Amino acid sequence: NAGVTQTPKFQVLKTGQSMTLQCAQDMNHNSMYWYRQDPGMGLRLIYYSASEGTTDKGEVPNGYNVSRLNKREFSLRLESAAPSQTSVYFCASSESRGLGQPQHFGDGTRLSIL
Amino acid sequence: KQEVTQIPAALSVPEGENLVLNCSFTDSAIYNLQWFRQDPGKGLTSLLLIQSSQREQTSGRLNASLDKSSGRSTLYIAASQPGDSATYLCAVNPDSNYQLIWGAGTKLIIKP
């Protein structure tokens, strides 16, 4: 049971570099999410996609872009990485957003920006 | 603005004890509340989801309660085991929208 798969698991970037974090789910879920987790803080929503073809900003979208490539895949792009974006990034999916369905998480991508 | 607080930030107890983890929120107008478990280096696993109309949910040795009027939820773990060691996070869902509001978590250590 793969569930939600994130790649890569670790990445070190230099300030100004760009990269894309990949996420795929095999549970046929409609909604997908990108969060960041910083020490001592709760998760913060970056972007979400309620369904294929739609994306919306969350609490902290600045510096990020997303693409809902198809129902399975939801990618997060950092166009010009900054040290403040050093964090652990989690992708999640749920059957739908409107019914408070539990979210299923990937194992995260640990990103360091030097 | 909804805020979610989990106190204490860390808790260490001997194996076999029953324990309670706390979650408080500032706005009682919530759609549901969820408890998650996070193991080191891993993602989050959903444990229990309590709808606003419910008072509690149970799964095995876990029992979560919800008191909206007081802005509190508790996660009760019975007969704790070393395998329960993890960080436990709660999150509230305000009015069925997409944005969960998260607590910072309680790191639980169960000593053998």
Side-chain angles (χ1 to χ4, degrees), chain B residues 8-88:
Chain B
L11 181 64
S12 179
V13 301
E15 179 179 4
E17 284 198 4
N18 303 323
L19 60 97
V20 173
L21 304 180
N22 297 299
C23 173
S24 61
F25 46 95
T26 55
D27 188 342
S28 62
I30 64 170
Y31 189 73
N32 60 47
L33 182 145
Q34 302 180 44
W35 282 94
F36 292 83
R37 167 184 173 139
Q38 184 176 25
D39 293 286
K42 296 291 186 180
L44 285 73
T45 301
S46 179
L47 297 174
L48 291 163
L49 186 154
I50 310 176
Q51 302 290 357
S52 62
S53 58
Q54 298 175 320
R55 297 282 296 179
E56 64 179 330
Q57 281 284 340
T58 298
S59 176
R61 294 182 294 107
L62 305 179
N63 176 278
S65 68
L66 175 63
D67 184 343
K68 282 192 355 178
S69 61
S70 66
R72 293 187 178 184
S73 176
T74 62
L75 180 67
Y76 174 83
I77 302 177
S80 59
Q81 304 170 358
D84 295 328
S85 297
T87 296
Y88 291 81

Side-chain angles (χ1 to χ4, degrees), chain A residues 3 6 10 31 35 39-40 45 49 67 100 102 111 113:
Chain A
Q6 291 184 237
F10 302 94
S31 300
Y35 292 95
L45 184 67
S49 171
S67 295
L111 182 62
I113 315 296

Side-chain angles (χ1 to χ4, degrees), chain A residues 11-85:
Chain A
Q11 185 70 47
V12 178
L13 293 177
K14 295 181 179 179
T15 297
Q17 288 186 316
S18 62
M19 80 161 295
T20 299
L21 282 62
Q22 306 287 352
C23 175
Q25 52 91 9
D26 62 3
M27 295 172 283
N28 201 37
H29 285 167
N30 289 307
S31 300
M32 298 185 73
Y33 314 82
W34 276 106
Y35 292 95
R36 61 179 289 173
Q37 185 179 36
D38 299 297
M41 299 180 67
L43 277 72
R44 291 183 291 171
L45 184 67
I46 305 171
Y47 271 93
Y48 90 106
S49 171
S51 61
E52 184 179 355
T54 68
T55 61
D56 285 283
K57 296 179 180 179
E59 180 184 359
V60 288
N62 291 343
Y64 305 95
N65 287 301
V66 291
S67 295
R68 183 75 183 267
L69 304 171
N70 47 54
K71 191 171 186 178
R72 290 187 64 249
E73 299 173 288
F74 189 38
S75 62
L76 178 72
R77 182 162 178 84
L78 285 70
E79 291 291 352
S80 179
S84 61
Q85 294 178 305

